[in-house]
Amino acid sequence: MKIVIGGAASSSEVPGLDAVGARHEIAFAPDGRSLERCLPDADVFVSWSYRDSGLEQCFPSAQRLQWVHWCGAGVRPALFPALVDSDVVLTNTRGIHDRAMAEYVLGIVLSFALRLPAMASDQRHRRWRPGQAERVDGTRAVIFGVGAIGHRIGALLQAAGVHVTGVGRQARSTDGIFGEIHGGTDRLELLRHADWVISVMPDTPLTEGYFGAEEFAAMRPTARFVNVGRGSSVDETALMAALRRGTIAGAALDVFRREPLDSHSPLWSTPGLLLTPHISGDYRGYERDVTMQFLENLRRFEKGDVLANVVDKKAGYVTTPPQTLTL
């Protein structure tokens, strides 16, 4: 079969791909023109870039395509009508970034509790201002988004003594990490009691602008907000207003409505706001892990087995429940 790798120019950019050997034809499509040339006789398309790969524009010519693998957890660029309505299977990299993102969130929580941003500022200004840290043990976190990443974050925060509550599309019980998962109708009441509000929600029409003025107003003045999900879920103007007014104590954003973040964005100078450039799931060696995951799924595809991480194209994410996690 023919496998097209979009967003990469050669195998040197996709570590581990040489393991395919001569079993299949591999074609690289680093740009739209090469993708237009390669896609008509492709059986499998791999979007090495998790952003727009040009697939939508070329999709009408993909007459043989059976499977699209998206090298990211978020698949919004792949959810164009023609693909959603087709029989082409869509998979993603669920499971690759979970631990790294959980460690990022724990690191953000600890940095706020230990006053590290304030002390870094004091160091730059040569100020000696001793102060007391906060205890993380015994605090409460509400995690919005209870997929594999949300579960991993919950498990790691639990290990640090944080009481975790999960919010999903629908309420349900008997969850291994959260015990009970709440529906979105409970969000305002849950926000009133949270020390840490963590968003790991996918990018779907239902999550657009989910966190706005009403949600920030419901939070405690000592609460901190962390978004590692998708930038579209946050009203950034409302967040900046909440921070400037002291409605909440702080926030950290790893994702934004427009990326890269414009150098003139007022987010850069908003007090109490930590910004990172969409790196919460990145770690040394993750590219090879992404390839290994794809190759495992390719072996399933070759045998006609059910693929792992199949995305529900109507929902916009993998809907199968995550497995029980260990630390």
Side-chain angles (χ1 to χ4, degrees):
M1 73 181 81
K2 181 176 180 179
I3 302 171
V4 174
I5 313 294
S10 68
S11 59
S12 64
E13 298 179 30
V14 189
L17 189 64
D18 293 341
V20 173
R23 301 199 316 274
H24 307 296
E25 177 188 355
I26 304 291
F28 294 92
D31 52 43
R33 180 171 295 181
S34 55
L35 181 60
E36 186 176 1
R37 183 174 61 254
C38 296
L39 200 60
D41 58 346
D43 301 283
V44 179
F45 174 74
V46 178
S47 181
W48 189 245
S49 169
Y50 61 84
R51 304 184 192 278
D52 183 11
S53 63
L55 179 62
E56 182 175 5
Q57 292 74 24
C58 301
F59 190 77
S61 67
Q63 299 302 313
R64 286 176 44 181
L65 195 62
Q66 302 175 59
W67 170 29
V68 169
H69 180 66
W70 208 260
C71 292
V75 295
R76 185 69 177 268
L79 297 176
F80 51 89
L83 178 58
V84 171
D85 295 338
S86 73
D87 293 329
V88 175
V89 176
L90 175 64
T91 59
N92 71 356
T93 57
R94 183 192 197 191
I96 291 292
H97 305 289
D98 301 359
R99 180 72 188 207
M101 293 181 71
E103 290 175 358
Y104 171 96
V105 170
L106 178 60
I108 291 292
V109 167
L110 290 172
S111 71
F112 277 131
L114 296 172
R115 300 175 53 251
L116 295 184
M119 286 192 284
S121 176
D122 286 345
Q123 180 179 344
R124 287 193 300 272
H125 293 91
R126 300 174 182 263
R127 293 188 301 233
W128 183 270
R129 295 194 305 174
Q132 295 180 331
E134 302 171 34
R135 289 290 303 274
V136 169
D137 184 29
T139 59
R140 305 178 69 88
V142 179
I143 301 173
F144 288 79
V146 289
I149 297 171
H151 274 76
R152 179 63 79 178
I153 292 171
L156 204 54
L157 290 179
Q158 259 188 0
V162 179
H163 179 274
V164 296
T165 300
V167 179
R169 274 199 312 168
Q170 297 177 333
R172 58 186 185 271
S173 58
T174 65
D175 180 87
I177 296 296
F178 300 108
E180 175 186 5
I181 290 177
H182 296 261
T185 55
D186 298 332
R187 71 187 188 284
L188 295 180
E189 182 60 27
L190 293 170
L191 289 172
R192 293 186 180 100
H193 303 284
D195 299 294
W196 315 100
V197 178
I198 317 295
S199 174
V200 206
M201 294 192 299
D203 185 6
T204 72
L206 292 176
T207 63
E208 176 71 29
Y210 190 94
F211 291 97
E214 184 179 20
E215 286 69 30
F216 294 123
M219 297 180 194
R220 304 164 76 175
T222 55
R224 276 81 166 216
F225 173 75
V226 183
N227 187 17
V228 292
R230 287 295 176 263
S232 61
S233 66
V234 177
D235 181 336
E236 293 173 348
T237 300
L239 173 60
M240 288 187 288
L243 288 166
R244 290 194 175 104
R245 294 169 184 162
T247 305
I248 61 174
L253 300 179
D254 185 54
V255 289
F256 307 87
R257 283 188 169 271
R258 297 187 65 178
E259 296 182 8
L261 186 63
D262 188 274
S263 61
H264 300 293
S265 171
L267 287 168
W268 292 107
S269 57
T270 300
L273 180 58
L274 289 177
L275 306 179
T276 56
H278 203 146
I279 48 77
S280 62
D282 295 346
Y283 57 92
R284 293 177 185 175
Y286 87 92
E287 295 96 339
R288 178 171 291 276
D289 288 347
V290 168
T291 304
M292 293 302 103
Q293 185 191 60
F294 165 69
L295 293 179
E296 173 58 32
N297 239 359
L298 180 61
R299 285 188 280 272
R300 298 186 183 202
F301 187 72
E302 290 168 336
K303 295 188 293 184
D305 293 343
V306 175
L307 298 181
N309 291 352
V310 174
V311 174
D312 181 329
K313 293 184 288 185
K314 297 295 184 182
Y317 51 90
V318 180
T319 55
T320 53
Q323 297 178 345
T324 300
L325 301 170
T326 57
L327 293 172

